[in-house]
Amino acid sequence: KYIVSASDDETIKLWEVKSNNCKSIKTFEGHTSGVNSATFSSDGKYIVSASWDKTIKLWEVEGDNREAIKTFEEHTESVKSATFSSDGKYIVSASGDKTIKLWEVEGDNRKAIKTFNGHTGIVWSAAFSSDGKYIVSASSDNTIKLWEVNSGKCIKTFKGHTNIVVSVAFSSDGKYIVSASDD
């Protein structure tokens, strides 16, 4: 039904797929620097955004509210990406501070419930497995790491890229990981 876009103009825009009109139908404002990523929750009710301003913001898709309903501020460098778990209960973020953080969507808690440390370079991307038990991350240290959510431990490091790994994702069945690199 919708497409979401993130922009260096500090906004997130919502676009209607079926419309022949090339104008956005809603603009979300609140970041104080460029927005690196914006992603829908699986039910399509929320958007999470990640920004150079070191924050992650949660937005409601429906209704007239154009302000973030929740802001997460614990990263010490720009947030490169943020995405929801398949059940929509959690957000995982990747940052220039070399960490991955886990956040709860519901409730008033705005602090990370878990921090994953182990990369030696910028973490560009992080994603949940479909069952929510694992997180995979991509870094400028040329590696991909597989993390167990419950323990917070890195259980495997994939090496083979010869340059920055910028994006990573699980296959829908969770059996494979795909990565994209500057190599």
Side-chain angles (χ1 to χ4, degrees):
K1 189 174 176 181
Y2 300 114
I3 295 171
V4 64
S5 62
S7 175
D8 272 347
D9 69 5
E10 303 174 6
T11 67
I12 297 103
K13 291 190 182 286
L14 193 63
W15 310 81
E16 199 166 34
V17 173
K18 291 184 179 180
S19 172
N20 288 330
N21 185 352
C22 289
K23 292 183 180 179
S24 65
I25 60 169
K26 192 173 184 180
T27 300
F28 301 96
E29 297 179 299
H31 282 293
T32 59
S33 194
V35 184
N36 292 316
S37 77
T39 308
F40 286 106
S41 58
S42 59
D43 62 9
K45 292 181 180 180
Y46 300 98
I47 293 168
V48 63
S49 59
S51 172
W52 281 93
D53 67 10
K54 305 176 190 173
T55 69
I56 299 129
K57 292 188 180 283
L58 184 64
W59 315 83
E60 285 180 309
V61 172
E62 298 296 328
D64 294 329
N65 186 14
R66 295 167 189 263
E67 295 179 9
I69 59 171
K70 198 170 185 180
T71 300
F72 303 98
E73 302 176 273
E74 226 175 85
H75 282 293
T76 58
E77 295 292 334
S78 65
V79 186
K80 303 303 183 184
S81 72
T83 191
F84 291 95
S85 58
S86 60
D87 63 8
K89 293 181 179 181
Y90 301 97
I91 292 167
V92 64
S93 59
S95 174
D97 65 13
K98 304 175 188 172
T99 69
I100 300 113
K101 291 188 182 283
L102 183 66
W103 314 84
E104 284 181 310
V105 173
E106 296 293 318
D108 293 330
N109 184 18
R110 294 170 191 263
K111 298 287 183 191
I113 58 173
K114 199 165 281 180
T115 299
F116 303 83
N117 291 296
H119 281 294
T120 58
I122 293 168
V123 185
W124 288 97
S125 173
F128 285 101
S129 59
S130 58
D131 62 9
K133 293 180 180 179
Y134 302 98
I135 291 171
V136 65
S137 58
S139 173
S140 63
D141 64 12
N142 303 356
T143 68
I144 299 159
K145 291 189 180 289
L146 181 64
W147 308 85
E148 190 177 59
V149 172
N150 285 340
S151 70
K153 293 181 180 176
C154 177
I155 57 173
K156 191 165 190 176
T157 299
F158 298 89
K159 297 178 180 179
H161 283 294
T162 58
N163 208 326
I164 296 167
V165 187
V166 292
S167 185
V168 66
F170 280 98
S171 61
S172 59
D173 63 7
K175 292 181 180 180
Y176 301 98
I177 295 168
V178 64
S179 59
S181 169
D182 279 356
D183 63 12

